[in-house]
Amino acid sequence: MTDNRLNLSAGIASVCVAAILVVAKLWALSQTGALSIGASLADSAMDLMMALGGLMAIYYAARPPDDDHRFGHTSAEDLAALGQSVFILMSSGVIAVSALRRLLSPAPVRVGQEAEGIAVMVFSIALTAGLVLWQRRVARATGSKVVAADSLHYLGDLVPNIGAIVALMASAAFGLTMIDSVVALGAAGMLALGALRIGKGAWDALMDRSAPQEIVDDLEQITRNFEGVDDFHDLKTRMAGSKPFVHVHIEVNGDQTLREAHAISAGLKRAILDAYPRADVIIHKDVTGEAD
């Protein structure tokens, strides 16, 4: 199976799992009325949106640049992520307000059908764990950062799911219904932090912010140590989705033939692509000591 097909299989699996969990948790919420399940439902809805955005990004990443999009279509991933972050922030705010109202309300909170709710959350954990294992396998095989990031996000989803089970068990065994609201508040906080992180990353990419410093440092080391490169300057990077764009000027011996100089830049480009297979690399050659 090719890398593109593997990545698409992981993306489709992510969408299917998220859709199944949204339906299951909607039913569990209607049965129990537990806000902790509501928070987990909002997280699954966010997962579904992110999974759809990730699948779209994988699909577009496989398409070559065209006449209207010379640099490809990967910025669609950042646009989708920015919209998702706004939706996540709104969802976390609704959950937090509902949880605070329950905590401050003098009326007793009713949480029922705990066994059904626990069963759905156990099912959710099992399905999520299976998806994470498959995504990690695909990410190792293809090096896809989209699949790896989606896998990491789903791994983080296990925490609110476990919290919902604890809240339902406490309600069923001891009648401690307030724990449900506390867990929902914690889940809302996690959702908000995740939304801010996703939104910042998308905004930085849309504003052509440089690639992460560790990538820049690695590119500098690769270029500096490459045989035939006497020096380099004007290393510029930016990110579009998970795709880095790299532009660098190298200084080479001006007495060698054009073919020899080209071989050096081509070799350097291959070395960068070996480290970052999805990168778009442009290398400009200058004569050593004569660069402006």
Side-chain angles (χ1 to χ4, degrees), residues 19-178:
I20 291 171
L21 293 182
V22 166
V23 173
K25 291 175 184 179
L26 270 172
W27 178 82
L29 179 62
S30 69
Q31 294 296 307
T32 64
L35 271 181
S36 54
I37 290 183
S40 184
L41 169 62
D43 196 44
S44 291
M46 175 191 70
D47 290 343
L48 179 57
M49 292 185 64
M50 291 190 65
L52 287 169
L55 183 59
M56 181 181 68
I58 291 170
Y59 172 74
Y60 272 95
R63 295 178 59 185
D66 55 33
D67 291 340
D68 294 326
H69 305 89
R70 292 293 187 180
F71 291 97
H73 307 81
T74 49
S75 290
E77 180 182 351
D78 300 307
L79 286 170
L82 196 60
Q84 289 165 358
S85 65
V86 174
F87 172 80
I88 296 166
L89 278 173
M90 292 172 60
S91 299
S92 64
V94 170
I95 293 168
V97 170
S98 299
L100 286 172
R101 282 181 176 176
R102 281 196 177 186
L103 284 172
L104 298 176
S105 174
V109 177
R110 293 180 58 85
V111 175
Q113 305 293 333
E114 291 92 344
E116 286 82 349
I118 291 173
V120 168
M121 300 314 294
V122 170
F123 169 73
S124 172
I125 289 172
L127 200 59
T128 300
L131 174 63
V132 168
L133 290 175
W134 173 244
Q135 287 178 322
R136 288 194 166 189
R137 178 180 174 184
V138 171
R140 283 196 299 269
T142 67
S144 172
K145 290 182 174 62
V146 175
V147 175
D150 200 37
S151 173
L152 183 62
H153 179 76
Y154 271 104
L155 191 62
D157 290 349
L158 294 176
V159 176
N161 289 342
I162 294 171
I165 291 176
V166 171
L168 290 170
M169 290 178 66
S171 174
F174 309 107
L176 300 175
T177 57
M178 304 302 285

Side-chain angles (χ1 to χ4, degrees), residues 188-223:
M190 289 181 62
L191 283 172
L193 289 174
L196 291 172
R197 178 176 52 81
I198 293 169
K200 182 181 183 301
W203 178 258
D204 286 344
L206 291 171
M207 295 301 294
D208 287 339
R209 185 184 177 97
S210 294
Q213 189 59 44
E214 58 268 21
I215 294 180
V216 176
D217 292 342
D218 194 26
L219 290 170
E220 289 179 347
Q221 184 176 3
I222 292 172
T223 305

